[in-house]
Amino acid sequence: MKKIFTAFILLMFIKAHAQQHNFSDKYVVPSDTLVQQKLAHWQDIKFGLLMHWGTYSEWGIVESWSICPEDEGWTQRRGPYAANYFDYVKAYENLQTTFNPTKFDPDKWAAAAKDAGMKYVVFTTKHHDGFCMFDTKQTDYKITSPKTPFSTNPKANVAKEVFDAFRKDGFMIGAYFSKPDWHCPYYWWPYFPPKDRNVNYDPKKYPERWNDFKNYTYSQIQELMTGYGKMDILWLDGGWVRPKSTIDTSVEWQRGIVYDQDIDMARIAKMARQNQPGLLVVDRTVSGEFENYVTPEQTIPATPMEHPWESCITMGNSWSYVPHDHYKSTNDLVHMLLKIISRGGNFLLNIGPSPEGDWSDTAYSRLKEIGVWMKVHGNGVYNTIPLAPYEDGNIVYLQSKDKKNMYVYVLSDKTNDVILPASITLSNIVVNKKSKIVLLDSPKEKIKFKSEGGSTVISIPSKLQNKVAGNYAVAFKITQ
Ligand code: GLC
């Protein structure tokens, strides 16, 4: 009885925890061995780049949401047309006729991301507003339309250019694709005014129209899976497009979903994997077979999770370009990376390109600084797995996958520099006598240690204490 009670309490705890972070607790292990292999590889590479880019960047507003008639903070309209919804949408859609990112140079992005130690990229091929950053045949609301000035540029099919440039640099390639499409007449039927983020008619009542939407979505994903080279991740956003049976009413935004919005993920995934064997499908928040990893947003789970996951977090405050956005410090970004991987997750860091097609100088300098740190610590980042107690005060624990090395990180205080004390106790870490301990920043210095109960105490030579040991976080590597 007591066991059942404990199990029940644990289950409730896990559920509450999952809901709080808005990710699922019903993970399904993929049965396809190619998917398993790709997933395992993806878990080893830890650090990726996300980009939100579209015509909304021209106004420097939040991506897509201002055309969604929900009364929420992030859906606020800005600008001269804000007083009338339909005028606003017209002006928003008209941004297509001025989008001309002539500074677009994906090789430059790939080089900067690679130098920072990033190893995969996820790029918005289409956000909720429906504007396609790829050369779809399903609509003219796209970057390669003659209406869009950039269409005459040799790099007009920007998604393809981004994927090719990053693939050349060895990145895994991911397509962000929004299932909901607020431009498509099969999703927001112009016959009715839209009311919120959801489909604006009852798919059960108008099955042909919904079927057209299913085909529209299928065809666009098919284009991405056939004309854009080798793809590794299909990152599907807009979790309100989901079968009604999967709605979790304990999650607030899911309570607003009135209609069944089943787009037949089985058919889409089958086609996608026929073209891209082993493809990871990430049907965000729709737990089950088509959510190969889960994606907490702007948050880091407090403890490790059993299944593969990734935190997507913005480098600035916004997903899309906003002039003078406030960027997180390199110190914070390195700490985030370490906390995420110490719980077994991946870090997908977002940058929003400007309307001219470049990143801010701050974004480049953050990546450069991360890169300098990664060159010293890379072996203690890639191919690692969690090591209890994971995080303890300003210490983060990790170990290599083969368990031959442990990495004990000491994080800096509020400043960039790590100041080491005379000794550090590694709680519950047992190190055998023959182990070798070095500080990755000064690998030649010998570090002494002794066992104390079930813990290990390492003594830091005064040289290392007095001189600055390193930036953001330093790592002791313990070779067993
Ligand atoms: C949030 C935003 C959405 C963005 C997504 C990325 O859900 O509302 O616009 O694409 O985060 O994870």
Side-chain angles (χ1 to χ4, degrees):
M1 193 61 200
K2 202 171 156 202
K3 264 192 192 150
I4 295 174
F5 182 71
T6 316
F8 176 74
I9 295 292
L10 195 70
L11 200 76
M12 287 298 104
F13 175 78
I14 293 170
K15 216 168 162 9
H17 181 75
Q19 278 157 14
Q20 183 195 333
H21 288 298
N22 197 8
F23 47 75
S24 58
D25 52 353
K26 290 176 227 120
Y27 185 74
V28 174
V29 177
S31 53
D32 180 335
T33 49
L34 291 179
V35 177
Q36 286 171 11
Q37 281 162 17
K38 202 184 271 293
L39 197 54
H41 174 63
W42 173 83
Q43 285 189 284
D44 287 344
I45 63 176
K46 308 293 181 195
F47 193 24
L49 170 71
L50 175 61
M51 281 187 277
H52 276 68
W53 197 29
T55 56
Y56 41 75
S57 315
E58 288 178 78
W59 279 353
I61 51 167
V62 65
E63 67 289 346
S64 300
W65 284 99
S66 64
I67 59 165
C68 177
E70 280 182 24
D71 190 16
E72 303 282 0
W74 69 85
T75 64
Q76 295 309 307
R77 297 170 216 160
R78 265 173 247 167
Y81 312 97
N84 176 300
Y85 177 74
F86 293 100
D87 286 348
Y88 182 76
V89 173
K90 216 188 225 159
Y92 182 99
E93 296 193 337
N94 209 35
L95 286 169
Q96 173 183 18
T97 64
T98 46
F99 195 47
N100 198 17
T102 50
K103 289 194 183 144
F104 174 56
D105 181 1
D107 289 332
K108 184 179 171 195
W109 291 346
K114 185 179 177 182
D115 183 61
M118 292 169 151
K119 298 206 179 277
Y120 67 106
V121 67
V122 179
F123 179 72
T124 46
T125 59
K126 178 180 90 169
H127 203 261
H128 313 330
D129 64 8
F131 185 76
C132 296
M133 296 291 274
F134 68 107
D135 186 26
T136 179
K137 293 193 175 57
Q138 316 308 318
T139 178
D140 205 30
Y141 193 45
K142 61 173 175 181
I143 184 132
T144 49
S145 154
K147 287 184 203 159
T148 307
F150 199 61
S151 62
T152 55
N153 190 292
K155 291 187 184 145
N157 191 357
V158 293
K160 188 166 193 307
E161 299 293 330
V162 166
F163 295 152
D164 287 351
F166 280 78
R167 196 181 292 114
K168 218 169 57 210
D169 271 339
F171 282 65
M172 278 178 105
I173 304 298
Y176 170 112
F177 181 90
S178 168
K179 293 179 294 177
D181 186 316
W182 297 335
H183 183 80
C184 178
Y186 309 135
Y187 193 73
W188 275 3
W189 184 7
Y191 182 77
F192 297 118
K195 194 166 105 271
D196 57 25
R197 67 183 71 181
N198 291 285
V199 60
N200 74 338
Y201 63 92
D202 181 356
K204 285 261 158 356
K205 218 163 152 189
Y206 303 99
E208 288 87 17
R209 186 161 286 266
W210 183 252
N211 211 39
D212 285 343
F213 181 61
K214 276 168 44 177
N215 288 335
Y216 182 86
T217 307
Y218 180 95
S219 304
Q220 287 200 323
I221 295 177
Q222 189 174 41
E223 290 171 344
L224 289 168
M225 294 300 120
T226 53
Y228 291 77
K230 187 166 168 280
M231 302 297 294
D232 300 294
I233 307 166
L234 177 61
W235 211 87
L236 297 171
D237 201 16
W240 53 96
V241 172
R242 66 197 295 145
K244 206 163 182 196
S245 59
T246 67
I247 293 173
D248 182 347
T249 48
S250 63
V251 179
E252 206 202 329
W253 62 263
Q254 293 192 29
R255 273 183 237 139
I257 309 173
V258 176
Y259 302 124
D260 188 71
Q261 299 185 50
D262 188 348
I263 49 158
D264 199 349
M265 271 310 299
R267 177 171 169 246
I268 290 173
K270 189 167 170 221
M271 170 277 292
R273 290 205 176 113
Q274 263 160 7
N275 293 297
Q276 301 288 346
L279 179 81
L280 304 183
V281 178
V282 185
D283 192 11
R284 302 185 69 204
T285 77
V286 190
S287 23
E289 221 191 314
F290 307 113
E291 193 182 28
N292 294 153
Y293 65 75
V294 295
T295 56
E297 199 172 279
Q298 299 285 38
T299 178
I300 302 174
T303 50
M305 278 194 263
E306 291 287 298
H307 44 255
W309 63 275
E310 161 197 270
S311 273
C312 50
I313 296 181
T314 48
M315 190 190 270
N317 286 332
S318 171
W319 296 103
S320 55
Y321 168 82
V322 170
H324 318 295
D325 200 1
H326 175 77
Y327 282 81
K328 295 178 178 76
S329 67
T330 306
N331 198 52
D332 285 350
L333 294 169
V334 169
H335 290 190
M336 280 178 177
L337 173 70
L338 288 173
K339 286 176 190 209
I340 290 169
I341 65 176
S342 76
R343 287 111 154 115
N346 275 24
F347 185 17
L348 185 63
L349 177 58
N350 179 84
I351 299 174
S354 72
E356 293 79 33
D358 206 353
W359 299 338
S360 76
D361 292 344
T362 316
Y364 285 108
S365 80
R366 296 290 188 272
L367 292 183
K368 207 175 176 63
E369 286 170 358
I370 294 172
V372 170
W373 184 88
M374 280 291 239
K375 280 176 196 88
V376 177
H377 298 91
N379 286 339
V381 170
Y382 309 115
N383 304 304
T384 56
I385 52 173
L387 172 68
Y390 318 117
E391 191 184 339
D392 182 14
N394 67 334
I395 299 186
V396 167
Y397 295 87
L398 277 157
Q399 60 186 323
S400 59
K401 246 168 89 175
D402 60 14
K403 303 199 173 167
K404 285 192 179 139
N405 297 307
M406 291 190 265
Y407 294 93
V408 175
Y409 285 90
V410 181
L411 310 192
S412 68
D413 249 347
K414 287 200 175 58
T415 62
N416 287 345
D417 308 327
V418 186
I419 311 293
L420 290 170
S423 73
I424 297 176
T425 303
L426 312 180
S427 33
N428 297 322
I429 300 284
V430 183
V431 175
N432 66 47
K433 275 204 179 107
K434 289 200 188 116
S435 295
K436 198 179 137 208
I437 304 188
V438 294
L439 185 70
L440 291 185
D441 272 289
S442 306
K444 292 206 177 99
E445 278 321 310
K446 259 199 137 168
I447 310 274
K448 294 203 180 110
F449 61 93
K450 60 174 193 258
S451 294
E452 238 172 50
S455 300
T456 300
V457 180
I458 57 179
S459 310
I460 322 284
S462 55
K463 260 196 225 164
L464 288 183
Q465 291 169 49
N466 298 334
K467 92 170 178 68
V468 173
N471 286 330
Y472 324 126
V474 298
F476 291 98
K477 177 183 170 189
I478 306 173
T479 309
Q480 292 282 36

